[in-house]
Amino acid sequence: HKVMIIADLIRSINPRAKIVMVIGNLLDEAVLDELLDCDLVLNCTDTEHSRAALGDFANHYLLPFFDVAVLMEGREGQLTSELVEFCHYGPGLPCAFCDRRISQHRLTYELLTEEERQQKRDAAAAAVARGLDGNQYWAGEPAQVLTVGHLTTTAGGLLAGYAIGYLTGSPRSPASRFQIDLLSLGFGFVSARREAAPTCSCIHAQGHADQARADRAISRPQHWPAPEIRVIPAPDDAQSACRR
C-alpha cells in the first residue's frame, strides 16, 4: 500500500513522528473520523467520488481540503498539454458539484460493482438490438486518463508548497481554483470563477457536522471493503496498534 511507503519515508526524515496509516476510502466513516483530527487534508486521488465528498466535508465539518488533478493531452503521437488543476475546498467555498467539476458518468462507474456494470452493458446491447439508443443504459467505459511520473511529481510538490503556505500564512496559492499547463507559454495560468448554488448543502448545512449526513451528496457503497487503520507511534509512545 502507498501509505506504507510514505510511512517509511516520513520515519526516515523524522524518526520521532507519530504516523496514522489509513487503508480505506474517504467515504468510510472511520476514515473521516481520522481526517477530522487534521488541520488540512490533501486529496491526490483524482477520482470523482472523492471530489464529490470533499465539498460536503469541508463545509459540514469546517475542514479545509486541497485537491490536485492532472491531465495529459496529445495528438499524432505528441504531447500537446500537461494540465494541472489545484482547487481549495473549505468553509464558504463551493463544492465540486457547484463548480460543475463532477462527471456523473465517471462517478457512477466508480461506485458500481463489476456485476452492475455488466448488467448495464447487457441492457445497452439489448436496447441497440431493438433499434434504441443504448447510451441511456451504458455510455461506455470512461476514457483512460494518461499520466506520467514527472507531471504527478511536479503537481504533488506544488501542492505540498501551497499546503505549507496555507498552514503558516506564506506563501498563499494564487487562487482558490486554477489550472496551469506546463507546455504552454507562461504555463497557461487560468483561474476559475466560483459560485456556490444557493440551495446546495455545502452552504445551507455549513458546520452541521454529523447532523448533515442526510445532506451529503454521496455515500459509501456497501460492497467496498472495510477500512484498516494502523497507528505507528513515536518511539516513546505505546506499542503499535491496528484496528478495523
Side-chain angles (χ1 to χ4, degrees):
H1 295 286
K2 290 181 180 179
V3 289
M4 297 177 179
I5 299 173
I6 294 299
D8 289 341
L9 176 61
I10 294 172
R11 184 52 56 82
S12 70
I13 296 172
N14 181 6
R16 302 189 62 79
K18 176 184 176 181
I19 304 167
V20 179
M21 295 192 301
V22 179
I23 303 171
N25 191 279
L26 179 70
L27 299 182
D28 285 302
E29 292 295 327
V31 176
L32 176 59
D33 287 343
E34 294 294 334
L35 295 182
L36 292 177
D37 280 338
C38 301
D39 298 308
L40 176 67
V41 177
L42 307 184
N43 181 55
C44 307
T45 62
D46 207 2
T47 61
E48 297 299 282
H49 67 268
S50 64
R51 291 193 184 91
L54 292 183
D56 285 343
F57 295 163
N59 283 285
H60 297 170
Y61 295 93
L62 309 182
L63 177 64
F65 286 82
F66 278 0
D67 178 51
V68 63
V70 298
L71 177 64
M72 304 180 70
E73 297 178 323
R75 184 174 56 252
E76 298 178 355
Q78 298 292 323
L79 281 175
T80 57
S81 65
E82 294 182 342
L83 293 171
V84 182
E85 178 178 278
F86 299 95
C87 189
H88 179 198
Y89 297 99
L93 291 173
C95 67
F97 286 98
C98 293
D99 280 339
R100 295 180 176 85
R101 184 65 178 79
I102 299 296
S103 164
Q104 193 63 50
H105 173 51
R106 292 190 71 94
L107 177 62
T108 301
Y109 182 86
E110 291 172 5
L111 300 180
L112 293 175
T113 64
E114 184 53 41
E115 180 181 5
E116 290 170 332
R117 294 171 187 166
Q118 189 57 51
Q119 289 173 352
K120 289 183 174 293
R121 294 186 191 103
D122 294 342
V128 171
R130 298 194 303 269
L132 303 175
D133 181 11
N135 286 333
Q136 60 183 316
Y137 300 100
W138 183 251
E141 306 289 333
Q144 178 66 44
V145 177
L146 300 177
T147 186
V148 71
H150 80 271
L151 184 58
T152 52
T153 301
T154 300
L158 288 170
L159 181 66
Y162 293 139
I164 293 171
Y166 177 84
L167 295 173
T168 63
S170 178
R172 291 284 188 175
S173 61
S176 66
R177 181 186 174 195
F178 65 96
Q179 291 183 350
I180 59 174
D181 183 354
L182 302 188
L183 298 185
S184 293
L185 183 65
F187 295 119
F189 175 90
V190 61
S191 60
R193 181 183 177 185
R194 308 178 69 193
E195 185 174 349
T199 58
C200 185
S201 73
C202 71
I203 297 301
H204 72 73
Q206 194 167 145
H208 289 195
D210 287 351
Q211 294 181 355
R213 185 178 283 106
D215 292 305
R216 293 179 188 173
I218 187 172
S219 60
R220 173 187 176 276
Q222 292 299 313
H223 64 274
W224 283 6
E228 180 179 331
I229 301 171
R230 302 180 184 179
V231 180
I232 305 178
D236 55 352
D237 289 344
Q239 293 184 346
S240 300
C242 177
R243 64 183 185 273
R244 287 184 179 273

